[in-house]
Amino acid sequence: MNPLFMHALAARRIDALVIGASAGGIAALLAILPALAFRYTFPVIVVLHLPDDGDSRLPEVLAQRLGMLVEEAKDKHPALGGVIYVAPCGYHLSIEPDRHFSLSREEPVHFSRPAIDILMTSAADVYRSSMAGILLTGASADGAVGMERISAAGGLTIVQHPDEAEVATMPLRAIAARAPTLILTLSQIHELLSMLEIH
């Protein structure tokens, strides 16, 4: 096992994994999520920048390609382990103190609704050091504040290596805001995720 990953995961409990992505995000998600397979016991919550109108087929696409349980997050529903949740189009997604989802139609953040920052900051406030955040490829500053909040709460922060990202803006902004725990390629993130339940 990679000793760098073992050090990052040492004595760390993961109760939730939050992932943010924008341009190029679907391919990145399909590259890393299969590592979780059926062994993970925590909720995985994904915000992908999508058009503000219409219905997203992202849960269907991910479920078909991954063979895993993928659902659109619903207001007031609990965040259950072993499920990949996707933020719906046109709504900000956040986590309440009771670990239930909350949807809102507040103004876009960084021109996006759902916004990665809103999910990550709320999740950091709830899960504190027992959460992990991953920020992938994208073309805005969204996610930098959220990753900073996760780090300040003691959580694990992972940023896709900018040199590999389809669009490097989001990873670069997050790295500039606060050094993440790890800066990794997609294959390395895949390897790390495969270790979350066995370290």
Side-chain angles (χ1 to χ4, degrees):
M1 295 183 182
N2 189 314
L4 180 64
F5 298 168
M6 293 297 294
H7 177 73
L9 296 175
R12 183 182 292 277
R13 172 188 173 123
I14 300 295
D15 288 336
L17 171 62
V18 175
I19 304 173
S22 185
I26 293 178
L29 290 169
L30 291 172
I32 66 172
L33 289 177
L36 294 171
F38 297 98
R39 298 181 296 106
Y40 66 106
T41 58
F42 46 83
V44 178
I45 310 163
V46 177
V47 167
L48 180 67
H49 290 166
L50 295 166
D52 200 4
D53 54 350
D55 295 324
S56 169
R57 294 187 61 249
L58 183 60
E60 178 185 345
V61 169
L62 293 179
Q64 289 178 346
R65 296 285 297 274
L66 299 172
M68 301 162 74
L69 182 58
V70 184
E71 298 180 358
E72 191 170 85
K74 295 179 175 61
D75 193 46
K76 309 306 180 189
H77 283 217
L80 301 176
V83 183
I84 298 172
Y85 294 98
V86 177
C89 292
Y91 290 89
H92 290 308
L93 175 64
S94 58
I95 306 293
E96 296 295 326
D98 62 1
R99 301 190 176 186
H100 283 58
F101 292 118
S102 177
L103 299 178
S104 72
R105 290 280 296 173
E106 296 170 18
E107 289 300 308
V109 175
H110 298 293
F111 307 101
S112 297
R113 187 174 56 202
I116 299 165
D117 277 336
I118 287 181
L119 173 61
M120 286 188 169
T121 54
S122 66
D125 290 344
V126 172
Y127 292 99
R128 308 297 296 171
S129 62
S130 66
M131 74 164 294
I134 299 177
L135 189 65
L136 302 170
T137 175
S140 79
D142 196 15
V145 170
M147 292 290 277
E148 191 173 11
R149 183 74 67 87
I150 294 170
S151 182
L156 177 66
T157 53
I158 302 153
V159 174
Q160 183 180 5
H161 199 295
D163 290 347
E164 183 200 60
E166 183 172 321
V167 182
T169 308
M170 284 196 338
L172 287 170
R173 293 294 291 269
I175 293 167
R178 183 165 182 156
T181 311
L182 296 165
I183 302 171
L184 304 174
T185 65
L186 292 177
S187 63
Q188 289 172 323
I189 296 173
H190 181 280
E191 180 185 352
L192 177 69
L193 293 184
S194 72
M195 298 171 61
L196 287 184
E197 294 292 309
I198 59 175
H199 69 276

